[in-house]
Amino acid sequence: QVHLEESGGGWVQPGGSLRLSCVASGFTFSAYGLSWYRQAPGKEREVVATSTYTGGITMVADSVKGRFTISRDNVRNTVYLQMNNLRPEDSAAYYCYAPSFDVWGQGTHVTVSS
């Protein structure tokens, strides 16, 4: 059974950093891409970044370019989202998603405020 579990969210001041983690289980992690999405209150869920199974990175949200980085550790079955220079508009629930299985994690909340 495919399972994704996120962690690392919390409160941070503007300009701060957080690293989110998503531990995957139930499938051959190194063979599949994974994505990070986020959803702010009252807004639609949007894709933030995708890591292909080869480790290639697709950063799709212009608002995070140069600030967020996605990476993966195929030994630890974990995909990371390093978020730097956080802004209040980055506040959202962040979700890990395995598109090949259409499985979502439970989400982790990020709040950026002073």
Side-chain angles (χ1 to χ4, degrees), residues 3-101:
H3 182 72
L4 304 172
E5 185 163 348
E6 304 96 332
S7 63
W11 173 82
V12 64
Q13 292 185 334
S17 298
L18 285 174
R19 188 176 78 159
L20 306 184
S21 301
C22 171
V23 179
S25 60
F27 63 100
T28 303
F29 181 83
S30 60
Y32 294 93
L34 288 168
S35 299
W36 283 100
Y37 281 70
R38 68 183 182 184
Q39 186 169 21
K43 295 188 176 181
E44 293 187 356
R45 192 170 294 190
E46 64 171 350
V47 60
V48 176
T50 295
S51 174
T52 64
Y53 76 98
T54 62
I57 298 169
T58 303
M59 196 69 72
V60 296
D62 288 340
S63 59
V64 305
K65 285 181 180 178
R67 301 188 299 122
F68 290 14
T69 301
I70 187 170
S71 62
R72 63 190 294 153
D73 184 335
N74 287 344
V75 173
R76 292 181 169 82
N77 286 6
T78 303
V79 62
Y80 303 98
L81 185 68
Q82 177 67 43
M83 307 186 294
N84 298 327
N85 192 19
L86 282 159
R87 304 168 180 170
E89 54 264 38
D90 295 318
S91 297
Y94 284 73
Y95 299 91
C96 187
Y97 177 58
S100 296
F101 305 97

Coordinates of all heavy atoms in Angstrom, one line a residue, residues 3-101:
H3 N 2.1 4.8 0.7 CA 1.9 5.8 1.8 C 2.9 6.9 1.7 O 4.1 6.6 1.5 CB 1.9 5.0 3.1 CG 1.7 5.9 4.3 ND1 0.4 6.4 4.6 CD2 2.5 6.4 5.3 CE1 0.5 7.2 5.7 NE2 1.7 7.2 6.1
L4 N 2.5 8.1 1.9 CA 3.3 9.2 2.0 C 3.1 10.0 3.3 O 2.0 10.2 3.7 CB 3.0 10.2 0.8 CG 3.1 9.6 -0.6 CD1 2.6 10.6 -1.6 CD2 4.5 9.2 -0.9
E5 N 4.2 10.3 3.9 CA 4.1 11.1 5.2 C 5.0 12.3 5.2 O 6.2 12.1 5.2 CB 4.4 10.1 6.4 CG 4.1 10.8 7.7 CD 4.1 9.8 8.9 OE1 3.9 8.6 8.6 OE2 4.1 10.2 10.0
E6 N 4.4 13.4 5.3 CA 5.1 14.7 5.3 C 5.5 15.1 6.8 O 4.8 14.8 7.7 CB 4.4 15.8 4.7 CG 3.9 15.6 3.2 CD 2.5 15.1 3.2 OE1 2.0 14.4 4.2 OE2 1.8 15.3 2.2
S7 N 6.5 15.9 6.9 CA 6.9 16.5 8.2 C 7.7 17.7 7.9 O 8.2 17.9 6.7 CB 7.7 15.5 9.0 OG 8.9 15.1 8.4
G8 N 8.0 18.5 8.9 CA 8.9 19.6 8.8 C 8.2 21.0 8.8 O 8.9 22.0 8.7
G9 N 6.9 21.0 8.7 CA 6.2 22.3 8.7 C 6.2 23.0 10.0 O 6.7 22.4 11.0
G10 N 5.8 24.2 10.1 CA 5.8 25.0 11.3 C 5.6 26.4 11.0 O 5.3 26.9 9.9
W11 N 6.0 27.2 12.1 CA 5.9 28.7 12.0 C 7.3 29.2 11.8 O 8.3 28.8 12.4 CB 5.3 29.3 13.2 CG 5.4 30.7 13.3 CD1 4.5 31.6 12.7 CD2 6.4 31.5 13.9 NE1 4.9 32.9 13.0 CE2 6.1 32.9 13.7 CE3 7.5 31.2 14.7 CZ2 6.8 33.9 14.2 CZ3 8.3 32.2 15.2 CH2 7.9 33.6 14.9
V12 N 7.4 30.2 10.9 CA 8.7 30.8 10.6 C 8.5 32.3 10.3 O 7.4 32.6 9.7 CB 9.5 30.1 9.5 CG1 8.8 30.2 8.2 CG2 10.9 30.6 9.4
Q13 N 9.4 33.1 10.6 CA 9.3 34.5 10.3 C 9.7 34.7 8.8 O 10.4 33.9 8.2 CB 10.2 35.3 11.1 CG 9.8 35.4 12.6 CD 10.7 36.3 13.4 OE1 11.9 36.5 13.1 NE2 10.1 36.8 14.5
P14 N 9.2 35.8 8.2 CA 9.6 36.1 6.8 C 11.1 36.2 6.7 O 11.8 36.7 7.5 CB 8.9 37.5 6.6 CG 7.7 37.5 7.5 CD 8.2 36.8 8.7
G15 N 11.5 35.6 5.6 CA 13.0 35.5 5.3 C 13.6 34.2 5.9 O 14.8 33.9 5.6
G16 N 12.8 33.5 6.7 CA 13.4 32.3 7.3 C 13.3 31.1 6.3 O 12.9 31.2 5.2
S17 N 13.7 29.9 6.8 CA 13.8 28.7 6.1 C 13.2 27.5 6.8 O 13.1 27.5 8.0 CB 15.3 28.4 5.8 OG 15.9 29.4 5.0
L18 N 12.7 26.6 6.0 CA 12.2 25.3 6.5 C 12.6 24.3 5.5 O 12.7 24.5 4.3 CB 10.7 25.4 6.7 CG 10.1 26.1 7.9 CD1 8.6 26.1 7.7 CD2 10.5 25.5 9.2
R19 N 12.7 23.1 6.0 CA 12.9 21.9 5.1 C 11.8 20.9 5.3 O 11.7 20.4 6.5 CB 14.2 21.3 5.2 CG 14.5 20.2 4.1 CD 15.8 19.6 4.2 NE 16.0 18.6 5.3 CZ 16.9 17.6 5.3 NH1 17.7 17.5 4.3 NH2 16.9 16.8 6.3
L20 N 11.0 20.6 4.3 CA 9.9 19.6 4.4 C 10.5 18.3 4.0 O 11.3 18.2 3.0 CB 8.7 20.0 3.6 CG 8.1 21.4 3.9 CD1 6.9 21.6 3.0 CD2 7.8 21.6 5.3
S21 N 10.0 17.3 4.6 CA 10.3 15.9 4.2 C 9.1 15.1 3.9 O 8.0 15.3 4.5 CB 11.1 15.2 5.3 OG 12.3 15.9 5.7
C22 N 9.2 14.2 3.0 CA 8.1 13.3 2.6 C 8.7 11.9 2.5 O 9.5 11.6 1.6 CB 7.5 13.7 1.3 SG 6.3 12.5 0.7
V23 N 8.4 11.0 3.5 CA 8.9 9.7 3.5 C 7.8 8.8 2.8 O 6.6 8.8 3.1 CB 9.1 9.2 4.9 CG1 9.6 7.7 4.9 CG2 10.1 10.0 5.6
A24 N 8.3 8.0 1.8 CA 7.4 7.2 1.0 C 7.6 5.7 1.3 O 8.7 5.3 1.7 CB 7.6 7.4 -0.5
S25 N 6.5 5.0 1.2 CA 6.6 3.5 1.4 C 5.5 2.8 0.5 O 4.6 3.5 0.0 CB 6.4 3.2 2.8 OG 5.1 3.6 3.3
G26 N 5.8 1.5 0.3 CA 4.8 0.8 -0.5 C 5.1 0.7 -2.0 O 4.3 0.1 -2.7
F27 N 6.2 1.2 -2.4 CA 6.5 1.1 -3.8 C 8.0 1.3 -4.0 O 8.7 1.7 -3.0 CB 5.7 2.2 -4.7 CG 6.0 3.6 -4.4 CD1 6.9 4.4 -5.1 CD2 5.4 4.2 -3.3 CE1 7.2 5.7 -4.8 CE2 5.7 5.6 -2.9 CZ 6.6 6.3 -3.7
T28 N 8.5 1.0 -5.2 CA 9.9 1.2 -5.4 C 10.2 2.7 -5.7 O 10.0 3.2 -6.8 CB 10.3 0.4 -6.7 OG1 10.0 -1.0 -6.5 CG2 11.9 0.5 -6.9
F29 N 10.7 3.3 -4.6 CA 10.8 4.8 -4.6 C 11.6 5.3 -5.7 O 11.2 6.3 -6.4 CB 11.4 5.2 -3.2 CG 11.6 6.7 -3.1 CD1 10.5 7.4 -2.6 CD2 12.8 7.3 -3.3 CE1 10.7 8.8 -2.4 CE2 13.0 8.6 -3.1 CZ 11.9 9.4 -2.7
S30 N 12.7 4.7 -6.0 CA 13.7 5.2 -7.0 C 13.1 5.1 -8.5 O 13.7 5.7 -9.4 CB 15.0 4.4 -7.0 OG 14.8 3.0 -7.2
A31 N 12.0 4.5 -8.6 CA 11.4 4.3 -10.0 C 10.3 5.3 -10.3 O 9.8 5.3 -11.4 CB 10.9 2.9 -10.2
Y32 N 10.0 6.2 -9.4 CA 8.9 7.1 -9.6 C 9.2 8.5 -9.2 O 9.9 8.8 -8.3 CB 7.7 6.6 -8.8 CG 7.1 5.2 -9.3 CD1 7.6 4.1 -8.7 CD2 6.2 5.2 -10.3 CE1 7.2 2.8 -9.1 CE2 5.8 3.9 -10.7 CZ 6.2 2.8 -10.2 OH 5.8 1.6 -10.6
G33 N 8.5 9.4 -9.9 CA 8.6 10.8 -9.6 C 7.6 11.2 -8.5 O 6.6 10.4 -8.2
L34 N 7.9 12.2 -7.8 CA 7.1 12.7 -6.7 C 7.0 14.2 -6.8 O 8.0 14.9 -7.3 CB 7.7 12.3 -5.3 CG 7.6 10.8 -4.9 CD1 8.4 10.5 -3.7 CD2 6.1 10.5 -4.6
S35 N 6.0 14.8 -6.3 CA 5.8 16.2 -6.3 C 5.4 16.8 -5.0 O 4.8 16.1 -4.1 CB 4.6 16.5 -7.3 OG 4.9 16.1 -8.6
W36 N 5.6 18.1 -4.9 CA 5.1 18.9 -3.8 C 4.1 19.8 -4.3 O 4.3 20.5 -5.3 CB 6.3 19.7 -3.1 CG 7.2 18.9 -2.2 CD1 8.4 18.4 -2.5 CD2 6.9 18.5 -0.9 NE1 8.9 17.7 -1.4 CE2 8.0 17.8 -0.4 CE3 5.8 18.7 0.0 CZ2 8.1 17.2 0.9 CZ3 5.9 18.2 1.3 CH2 7.0 17.4 1.7
Y37 N 2.9 19.8 -3.6 CA 1.9 20.8 -3.8 C 1.6 21.6 -2.6 O 2.1 21.2 -1.5 CB 0.6 20.1 -4.2 CG 0.5 19.5 -5.6 CD1 1.2 18.4 -6.0 CD2 -0.4 20.1 -6.5 CE1 1.1 17.9 -7.3 CE2 -0.5 19.6 -7.8 CZ 0.2 18.5 -8.2 OH 0.1 18.0 -9.4
R38 N 0.9 22.7 -2.8 CA 0.5 23.5 -1.6 C -0.9 24.0 -1.8 O -1.3 24.2 -3.0 CB 1.5 24.6 -1.3 CG 1.5 25.7 -2.3 CD 2.6 26.7 -1.9 NE 2.7 27.9 -2.9 CZ 3.6 28.8 -2.8 NH1 4.5 28.8 -1.8 NH2 3.6 29.8 -3.7
Q39 N -1.6 24.3 -0.7 CA -2.9 24.9 -0.8 C -3.1 25.9 0.3 O -3.0 25.5 1.5 CB -4.0 23.8 -0.7 CG -5.4 24.3 -1.0 CD -6.4 23.2 -1.2 OE1 -6.2 22.1 -0.8 NE2 -7.5 23.5 -1.8
A40 N -3.3 27.1 0.0 CA -3.5 28.1 1.0 C -5.1 28.2 1.2 O -5.8 27.8 0.3 CB -3.0 29.5 0.5
P41 N -5.5 28.7 2.3 CA -6.9 28.8 2.6 C -7.6 29.6 1.5 O -7.2 30.7 1.2 CB -6.9 29.6 4.0 CG -5.6 29.2 4.6 CD -4.7 29.1 3.5
G42 N -8.7 29.1 1.0 CA -9.5 29.7 0.0 C -8.9 29.7 -1.4 O -9.5 30.3 -2.3
K43 N -7.8 29.0 -1.6 CA -7.2 28.9 -2.9 C -7.1 27.5 -3.4 O -7.2 26.5 -2.6 CB -5.8 29.5 -2.9 CG -5.8 31.0 -2.6 CD -4.4 31.6 -2.7 CE -4.4 33.1 -2.5 NZ -3.1 33.7 -2.7
E44 N -6.9 27.3 -4.7 CA -6.8 26.0 -5.2 C -5.4 25.4 -4.9 O -4.4 26.1 -4.7 CB -7.0 26.0 -6.7 CG -8.4 26.4 -7.1 CD -8.7 26.2 -8.6 OE1 -7.7 25.9 -9.3 OE2 -9.8 26.4 -9.1
R45 N -5.3 24.1 -4.9 CA -4.1 23.4 -4.7 C -3.2 23.7 -5.9 O -3.7 23.5 -7.0 CB -4.3 21.9 -4.4 CG -3.1 21.2 -3.9 CD -3.5 19.8 -3.5 NE -4.3 19.8 -2.3 CZ -4.6 18.7 -1.6 NH1 -4.1 17.5 -2.0 NH2 -5.4 18.8 -0.6
E46 N -2.0 24.0 -5.7 CA -1.1 24.2 -6.8 C 0.2 23.4 -6.7 O 0.7 23.2 -5.6 CB -0.7 25.7 -6.9 CG 0.1 26.3 -5.7 CD 0.6 27.7 -5.9 OE1 0.5 28.2 -7.1 OE2 1.1 28.3 -5.0
V47 N 0.8 23.0 -7.8 CA 2.0 22.3 -7.8 C 3.2 23.2 -7.5 O 3.2 24.3 -8.1 CB 2.2 21.5 -9.1 CG1 2.2 22.3 -10.3 CG2 3.4 20.6 -9.0
V48 N 4.1 22.8 -6.7 CA 5.2 23.6 -6.3 C 6.5 23.1 -7.1 O 7.2 23.9 -7.7 CB 5.5 23.6 -4.8 CG1 6.8 24.4 -4.5 CG2 4.3 24.2 -4.1
A49 N 6.7 21.8 -7.0 CA 7.9 21.3 -7.6 C 7.7 19.8 -7.8 O 7.0 19.2 -7.1 CB 9.1 21.6 -6.8
T50 N 8.5 19.3 -8.8 CA 8.4 17.8 -9.1 C 9.8 17.3 -9.2 O 10.7 17.9 -9.9 CB 7.6 17.6 -10.4 OG1 6.3 17.9 -10.2 CG2 7.7 16.1 -10.8
S51 N 10.1 16.1 -8.6 CA 11.3 15.4 -8.8 C 11.0 14.2 -9.6 O 10.2 13.3 -9.2 CB 11.9 15.0 -7.5 OG 13.1 14.2 -7.7
T52 N 11.6 14.0 -10.8 CA 11.4 12.8 -11.6 C 12.2 11.7 -11.0 O 13.0 11.9 -10.1 CB 11.9 13.0 -13.0 OG1 13.3 13.3 -13.0 CG2 11.2 14.2 -13.7
Y53 N 11.9 10.5 -11.5 CA 12.6 9.3 -10.8 C 14.1 9.3 -11.1 O 14.8 8.8 -10.3 CB 12.0 8.0 -11.4 CG 12.4 7.6 -12.8 CD1 13.4 6.7 -13.0 CD2 11.8 8.2 -13.9 CE1 13.8 6.4 -14.3 CE2 12.2 7.9 -15.2 CZ 13.2 6.9 -15.4 OH 13.6 6.6 -16.6
T54 N 14.5 10.0 -12.1 CA 16.0 10.2 -12.4 C 16.6 11.2 -11.5 O 17.8 11.4 -11.5 CB 16.2 10.5 -13.8 OG1 15.6 11.8 -14.1 CG2 15.6 9.5 -14.8
G55 N 15.8 11.9 -10.7 CA 16.3 13.0 -9.9 C 16.3 14.3 -10.6 O 16.7 15.4 -10.1
G56 N 15.8 14.3 -11.8 CA 15.6 15.6 -12.5 C 14.5 16.5 -11.8 O 13.6 16.0 -11.2
I57 N 14.7 17.7 -11.9 CA 13.9 18.6 -11.1 C 13.1 19.5 -12.1 O 13.6 20.0 -13.0 CB 14.8 19.5 -10.2 CG1 15.5 18.7 -9.2 CG2 13.9 20.6 -9.5 CD1 16.6 19.5 -8.5
T58 N 11.8 19.6 -11.8 CA 10.9 20.4 -12.5 C 10.3 21.4 -11.5 O 9.6 21.0 -10.6 CB 9.8 19.7 -13.2 OG1 10.3 18.7 -14.0 CG2 8.9 20.6 -13.9
M59 N 10.7 22.6 -11.6 CA 10.2 23.7 -10.7 C 9.1 24.4 -11.5 O 9.4 25.1 -12.4 CB 11.3 24.6 -10.2 CG 10.9 25.4 -9.0 SD 10.7 24.5 -7.6 CE 12.4 24.0 -7.2
V60 N 7.9 24.3 -11.1 CA 6.8 24.8 -11.9 C 6.2 26.1 -11.4 O 5.5 26.8 -12.2 CB 5.7 23.8 -12.1 CG1 6.2 22.6 -12.9 CG2 5.1 23.4 -10.8
A61 N 6.4 26.5 -10.2 CA 5.8 27.7 -9.7 C 6.8 28.8 -9.8 O 7.8 28.8 -9.1 CB 5.3 27.5 -8.2
D62 N 6.5 29.8 -10.6 CA 7.4 30.9 -10.7 C 7.6 31.6 -9.4 O 8.7 32.2 -9.2 CB 6.8 31.9 -11.7 CG 6.8 31.5 -13.2 OD1 7.6 30.5 -13.4 OD2 6.1 32.0 -14.0
S63 N 6.6 31.6 -8.5 CA 6.8 32.3 -7.3 C 7.8 31.7 -6.3 O 8.2 32.4 -5.4 CB 5.4 32.4 -6.6 OG 4.9 31.0 -6.3
V64 N 8.2 30.5 -6.6 CA 9.2 29.9 -5.7 C 10.6 29.7 -6.3 O 11.5 29.3 -5.7 CB 8.7 28.5 -5.2 CG1 7.3 28.7 -4.5 CG2 8.7 27.5 -6.2
K65 N 10.7 30.0 -7.6 CA 12.0 29.9 -8.3 C 13.0 30.7 -7.6 O 12.8 31.8 -7.2 CB 11.8 30.3 -9.8 CG 11.1 29.3 -10.6 CD 11.0 29.8 -12.1 CE 10.3 28.7 -12.9 NZ 10.1 29.1 -14.3
G66 N 14.2 30.0 -7.4 CA 15.3 30.7 -6.7 C 15.2 30.7 -5.2 O 16.2 31.0 -4.5
R67 N 14.1 30.2 -4.7 CA 13.9 30.1 -3.2 C 13.7 28.7 -2.7 O 14.1 28.3 -1.7 CB 12.7 31.0 -2.8 CG 12.9 32.4 -3.2 CD 11.8 33.3 -2.6 NE 10.4 32.9 -3.0 CZ 9.5 32.5 -2.2 NH1 9.7 32.4 -0.9 NH2 8.3 32.2 -2.7
F68 N 13.0 27.9 -3.5 CA 12.7 26.5 -3.1 C 13.5 25.5 -4.0 O 13.7 25.7 -5.2 CB 11.2 26.2 -3.3 CG 10.3 26.9 -2.4 CD1 10.7 28.0 -1.6 CD2 8.9 26.5 -2.3 CE1 9.8 28.6 -0.7 CE2 8.0 27.1 -1.4 CZ 8.5 28.2 -0.7
T69 N 13.9 24.4 -3.3 CA 14.6 23.4 -4.0 C 14.1 22.0 -3.6 O 13.9 21.8 -2.5 CB 16.1 23.4 -3.7 OG1 16.6 24.7 -4.1 CG2 16.9 22.4 -4.5
I70 N 13.8 21.2 -4.6 CA 13.3 19.9 -4.4 C 14.5 18.9 -4.6 O 15.3 19.1 -5.5 CB 12.2 19.5 -5.3 CG1 11.6 18.1 -4.9 CG2 12.6 19.5 -6.7 CD1 10.3 17.8 -5.6
S71 N 14.6 17.9 -3.7 CA 15.7 16.9 -3.8 C 15.1 15.6 -3.3 O 14.1 15.5 -2.7 CB 16.9 17.3 -3.1 OG 16.6 17.4 -1.7
R72 N 15.8 14.5 -3.6 CA 15.4 13.2 -3.1 C 16.6 12.4 -2.7 O 17.7 12.5 -3.2 CB 14.6 12.5 -4.2 CG 15.3 12.2 -5.5 CD 14.4 11.7 -6.6 NE 13.8 10.5 -6.3 CZ 12.6 10.0 -6.7 NH1 11.9 10.8 -7.5 NH2 12.1 8.9 -6.4
D73 N 16.3 11.5 -1.8 CA 17.3 10.5 -1.3 C 16.7 9.1 -1.5 O 15.7 8.7 -0.8 CB 17.5 10.8 0.2 CG 18.6 9.9 0.8 OD1 18.8 8.8 0.3 OD2 19.3 10.3 1.8
N74 N 17.2 8.5 -2.5 CA 16.6 7.1 -2.8 C 17.0 6.0 -1.9 O 16.4 4.9 -2.0 CB 17.0 6.8 -4.3 CG 16.3 7.6 -5.3 OD1 15.3 8.2 -5.0 ND2 16.8 7.6 -6.5
V75 N 17.9 6.3 -1.0 CA 18.2 5.3 0.1 C 17.2 5.5 1.2 O 16.8 4.5 1.8 CB 19.7 5.6 0.6 CG1 20.0 4.7 1.8 CG2 20.7 5.3 -0.5
R76 N 16.9 6.7 1.6 CA 15.9 6.9 2.7 C 14.5 7.0 2.2 O 13.6 7.3 3.0 CB 16.3 8.2 3.4 CG 17.6 8.1 4.2 CD 17.9 9.4 4.9 NE 19.0 9.3 5.8 CZ 20.3 9.3 5.5 NH1 20.6 9.5 4.2 NH2 21.2 9.2 6.4
N77 N 14.3 6.8 0.9 CA 12.9 6.9 0.3 C 12.2 8.2 0.7 O 11.0 8.2 1.1 CB 12.0 5.7 0.8 CG 12.4 4.4 0.1 OD1 13.3 4.3 -0.6 ND2 11.6 3.4 0.5
T78 N 13.0 9.3 0.6 CA 12.5 10.6 1.0 C 12.7 11.6 0.0 O 13.8 11.7 -0.7 CB 13.2 11.0 2.3 OG1 13.0 10.0 3.3 CG2 12.7 12.3 2.8
V79 N 11.7 12.5 -0.2 CA 11.8 13.6 -1.0 C 11.7 14.9 -0.1 O 10.9 14.9 0.8 CB 10.8 13.7 -2.2 CG1 9.4 13.7 -1.6 CG2 11.0 14.8 -3.1
Y80 N 12.6 15.9 -0.4 CA 12.6 17.0 0.4 C 12.2 18.3 -0.4 O 12.3 18.3 -1.6 CB 14.1 17.3 0.9 CG 14.7 16.1 1.7 CD1 15.5 15.2 1.0 CD2 14.4 16.0 3.0 CE1 16.0 14.1 1.7 CE2 14.9 14.9 3.7 CZ 15.8 14.0 3.1 OH 16.3 13.0 3.8
L81 N 11.8 19.3 0.4 CA 11.5 20.6 -0.2 C 12.2 21.6 0.7 O 11.7 21.8 1.8 CB 10.0 20.9 -0.3 CG 9.7 22.2 -1.0 CD1 10.0 22.1 -2.5 CD2 8.2 22.5 -0.9
Q82 N 13.3 22.1 0.3 CA 14.0 23.1 1.0 C 13.4 24.5 0.6 O 13.4 24.8 -0.6 CB 15.5 23.1 0.7 CG 16.3 24.2 1.4 CD 16.4 24.0 2.9 OE1 16.6 22.9 3.4 NE2 16.2 25.1 3.6
M83 N 13.0 25.2 1.6 CA 12.3 26.5 1.3 C 13.1 27.6 2.0 O 13.2 27.6 3.3 CB 10.9 26.5 1.9 CG 10.1 25.3 1.3 SD 8.3 25.3 1.8 CE 8.5 25.1 3.6
N84 N 13.6 28.5 1.3 CA 14.4 29.6 1.8 C 13.7 30.9 1.5 O 12.9 31.0 0.6 CB 15.8 29.6 1.2 CG 16.6 28.4 1.5 OD1 16.5 27.8 2.6 ND2 17.4 27.9 0.5
N85 N 14.1 31.9 2.2 CA 13.6 33.3 2.0 C 12.0 33.2 2.0 O 11.4 33.8 1.1 CB 14.1 33.9 0.8 CG 13.8 35.4 0.7 OD1 13.5 36.1 1.7 ND2 13.9 35.9 -0.5
L86 N 11.5 32.6 3.0 CA 10.0 32.4 3.0 C 9.3 33.7 3.1 O 9.7 34.7 3.8 CB 9.6 31.5 4.1 CG 9.9 30.0 3.8 CD1 10.0 29.2 5.0 CD2 8.8 29.5 2.8
R87 N 8.1 33.8 2.5 CA 7.3 35.0 2.5 C 5.9 34.6 3.1 O 5.5 33.4 3.1 CB 7.1 35.4 1.0 CG 8.4 35.7 0.3 CD 8.1 35.9 -1.2 NE 9.3 36.2 -2.0 CZ 9.4 36.2 -3.3 NH1 8.3 35.9 -4.0 NH2 10.5 36.4 -3.9
P88 N 5.2 35.6 3.6 CA 3.9 35.3 4.1 C 2.9 34.6 3.1 O 2.1 33.7 3.5 CB 3.3 36.7 4.4 CG 4.5 37.5 4.8 CD 5.6 37.0 3.8
E89 N 3.1 34.9 1.8 CA 2.2 34.2 0.8 C 2.6 32.8 0.6 O 1.9 32.1 -0.2 CB 2.3 35.0 -0.5 CG 3.7 35.2 -1.1 CD 4.2 36.6 -0.7 OE1 4.0 37.1 0.5 OE2 4.9 37.2 -1.5
D90 N 3.7 32.3 1.2 CA 4.0 30.9 1.1 C 3.3 30.1 2.2 O 3.4 28.8 2.2 CB 5.5 30.7 1.3 CG 6.4 31.3 0.2 OD1 6.0 31.2 -0.9 OD2 7.4 31.9 0.6
S91 N 2.6 30.8 3.1 CA 1.8 30.1 4.1 C 0.7 29.2 3.4 O 0.0 29.7 2.6 CB 1.1 31.1 5.0 OG 2.1 31.8 5.7
A92 N 0.8 27.9 3.8 CA -0.2 27.0 3.1 C 0.0 25.6 3.8 O 1.0 25.4 4.6 CB 0.1 26.9 1.6
A93 N -0.9 24.7 3.4 CA -0.7 23.3 3.7 C 0.1 22.7 2.5 O -0.3 22.9 1.4 CB -2.0 22.6 3.9
Y94 N 1.2 22.0 2.8 CA 2.1 21.5 1.8 C 1.9 19.9 1.8 O 1.9 19.3 2.8 CB 3.5 21.8 2.1 CG 3.9 23.2 1.7 CD1 3.4 24.3 2.5 CD2 4.6 23.5 0.6 CE1 3.7 25.6 2.2 CE2 4.9 24.8 0.2 CZ 4.4 25.9 1.0 OH 4.7 27.2 0.7
Y95 N 1.7 19.4 0.6 CA 1.4 18.0 0.4 C 2.4 17.4 -0.6 O 2.8 18.0 -1.6 CB 0.0 17.9 -0.3 CG -1.2 18.4 0.6 CD1 -1.6 19.7 0.4 CD2 -1.8 17.6 1.5 CE1 -2.6 20.2 1.2 CE2 -2.8 18.1 2.3 CZ -3.2 19.4 2.1 OH -4.3 19.9 2.9
C96 N 2.7 16.2 -0.2 CA 3.5 15.3 -1.1 C 2.5 14.5 -2.0 O 1.5 14.0 -1.4 CB 4.3 14.4 -0.2 SG 5.5 13.4 -1.1
Y97 N 2.9 14.3 -3.2 CA 2.0 13.6 -4.1 C 2.7 12.6 -5.0 O 3.8 13.0 -5.6 CB 1.2 14.6 -5.0 CG 0.3 14.0 -6.0 CD1 -0.7 13.1 -5.7 CD2 0.4 14.3 -7.4 CE1 -1.6 12.6 -6.6 CE2 -0.4 13.8 -8.3 CZ -1.4 13.0 -7.9 OH -2.3 12.4 -8.9
A98 N 2.2 11.4 -5.1 CA 2.8 10.4 -6.0 C 1.9 10.3 -7.2 O 0.9 9.5 -7.1 CB 3.0 9.1 -5.3
P99 N 2.1 10.9 -8.3 CA 1.2 10.9 -9.5 C 1.0 9.6 -10.1 O -0.2 9.3 -10.6 CB 1.9 11.9 -10.4 CG 3.3 12.0 -10.1 CD 3.3 11.7 -8.6
S100 N 1.9 8.7 -10.1 CA 1.7 7.4 -10.7 C 0.7 6.5 -10.0 O 0.2 5.6 -10.5 CB 3.1 6.7 -10.8 OG 4.0 7.3 -11.6
F101 N 0.5 6.9 -8.7 CA -0.4 6.1 -7.9 C -1.6 7.0 -7.4 O -2.5 6.4 -6.8 CB 0.3 5.6 -6.6 CG 1.5 4.8 -6.9 CD1 2.8 5.3 -6.9 CD2 1.4 3.4 -7.3 CE1 3.9 4.6 -7.2 CE2 2.5 2.7 -7.6 CZ 3.8 3.3 -7.5

